Amino acid sequence: MSPVVTALSAQRPVRIAGAVVVAAVTAATATACSTASTKTGDAATTATGGGSGKAIQVVAGENFWGSIASQIGGSRVHVTSIITNPATDPHDYEPTATDARTVAGARYAIVNGIGYDAWADKLLAANPGSGRTELKVGDLVGIKPGGNPHRWYSPEDVHKVIGKITADYKKIDPADAAYFDQQKTTFETKTLGGYNKLIADIKAKYAGTPIGASESIVTPLSDGLGLKMLTPETFLDAMSEGSDPTAKDKATIDQQIKNKQIKLYVYNSQNSTPDVQAQVKEAKAQGIPVATVTETLTPAGATFQQWQTSQLQGIEQALAKATGK
């Protein structure tokens, strides 16, 4: 299925509304329990049971990490994701008092880091929950601010996060360690079976195929699939950060499309600027297949694997059309 989302603004300043954060902190101090109601993933539940007798309260900055955390935790966790609306830009989200209360009441927090969700770092710092365990994905995978933050598009990094979440759950709730191990095994081998197979198949069949893209969100995925990214990195970064691309980069991409140097063009439909729209139009006019990706789970109620598998299928079909393989 092709994701259909509301196009976002091209400009992406990382903004934190000071008044909102202050209000959120005040509200969080007054209320120590989580009142947020948004659950992520098909396994999120408030059910109790197992060795601990109490579900771990988990907060995730973004729903793609929340979906994974929910499915690994099963009935032993209750996961609340802050970013759940496909029309919300995680880069410049402004946290609410409800978000602060959720963070304050969480036993485990998962944020992306790498400058992607600076608002989440501020919420964590302003609400230092007693004994809370925190996972910053960027720190886990060794990517510092300034690097590519879109680690959920890196298959290798996704599996690192799965391993870390499982290990953290076991530390928080040792009595349910065997349960979490089983959940991890099932998730990686069965639940992600289609996702893993698509990645392996695309890499085996299309490795080295030159592609173009609208922004840096595609780079970790192209690396994981063994595809060759021809779009200048400076253009990809500028688009991701909401900066104006250079005339030189745009001219380079125009030539790549005109001369059919790329076999596939992949764009983030949640950040479709006039420049990107023009490139998509020209690629189609030249007979170059176009595939789409989105920044967050699309549709909003999808699981991580449903979302990623759908996008990978679209890329695989486009590559097959482009190469005749």
Side-chain angles (χ1 to χ4, degrees):
M1 58 182 174
S2 298
V4 179
V5 298
T6 302
L8 298 177
S9 166
Q11 298 303 315
R12 287 181 159 181
V14 178
R15 299 181 284 114
I16 296 293
V20 174
V21 173
V22 170
V25 172
T26 301
T29 303
T31 307
C33 61
S34 173
T35 59
S37 60
T38 304
K39 294 184 289 185
T40 301
D42 56 4
T45 177
T46 55
T48 60
S52 66
K54 185 177 181 181
I56 302 169
Q57 297 298 315
V58 182
V59 61
E62 299 82 17
N63 60 2
F64 39 80
W65 296 130
S67 176
I68 290 173
S70 177
Q71 294 180 79
I72 296 171
S75 64
R76 308 305 197 261
V77 305
H78 177 271
V79 180
T80 300
S81 292
I82 294 176
I83 300 293
T84 60
N85 187 340
T88 299
D89 188 344
H91 293 263
D92 59 0
Y93 178 74
E94 296 178 358
T96 67
T98 298
D99 297 333
R101 287 193 294 269
T102 301
V103 169
R107 183 68 181 81
Y108 187 45
I110 305 167
V111 300
N112 192 77
I114 325 176
Y116 182 77
D117 47 8
W119 53 267
D121 291 332
K122 287 182 177 292
L123 276 178
L124 291 173
N127 298 277
S130 177
R132 182 177 62 222
T133 299
E134 298 175 4
L135 167 58
K136 292 187 177 182
V137 173
D139 292 346
L140 173 67
V141 301
I143 304 293
K144 297 180 180 180
N148 192 313
H150 309 101
R151 307 325 303 173
W152 60 98
Y153 271 106
S154 165
E156 180 181 357
D157 288 351
V158 166
H159 285 283
K160 287 181 181 178
V161 171
I162 292 169
K164 180 59 175 172
I165 290 175
T166 304
D168 286 344
Y169 281 166
K170 290 164 65 176
K171 289 180 181 178
I172 296 169
D173 179 11
D176 282 320
Y179 174 83
F180 294 128
D181 281 336
Q182 182 58 53
Q183 289 289 107
K184 174 181 180 291
T185 298
T186 299
F187 185 64
E188 287 197 298
T189 61
K190 295 182 179 179
T191 308
L192 291 184
Y195 166 81
N196 294 332
K197 186 177 187 302
L198 276 166
I199 290 168
D201 288 350
I202 292 172
K203 190 170 185 178
K205 199 168 187 178
Y206 303 107
T209 301
I211 70 166
S214 67
E215 64 161 284
S216 63
I217 192 172
V218 183
T219 306
L221 181 60
S222 68
D223 290 344
L225 297 175
L227 305 176
K228 184 178 181 181
M229 179 66 72
L230 292 192
T231 305
E233 185 177 353
T234 46
F235 178 89
L236 297 173
D237 290 342
M239 296 305 295
S240 181
E241 295 164 6
S243 304
D244 291 328
T246 66
K248 180 181 178 181
D249 281 347
K250 289 193 286 186
T252 296
I253 296 167
D254 288 343
Q255 286 300 310
Q256 289 175 348
I257 294 174
K258 181 179 179 180
N259 297 329
K260 297 186 178 181
Q261 293 173 268
I262 61 172
K263 298 294 185 182
L264 168 68
Y265 185 91
V266 184
Y267 81 105
N268 175 6
S269 60
Q270 287 179 311
N271 188 31
S272 185
T273 67
D275 285 324
V276 170
Q277 291 171 11
Q279 290 171 11
V280 169
K281 182 178 180 181
E282 184 58 26
K284 290 180 178 179
Q286 294 294 333
I288 297 172
V290 174
T292 63
V293 295
T294 58
E295 197 134 348
T296 54
L297 299 182
T298 307
T303 61
F304 174 83
Q305 63 273 13
Q306 289 169 339
W307 172 52
Q308 288 289 316
T309 297
S310 175
Q311 295 182 144
L312 286 166
Q313 288 171 337
I315 290 172
E316 182 181 47
Q317 290 166 6
L319 285 168
K321 180 180 179 180
T323 65
K325 296 181 181 178

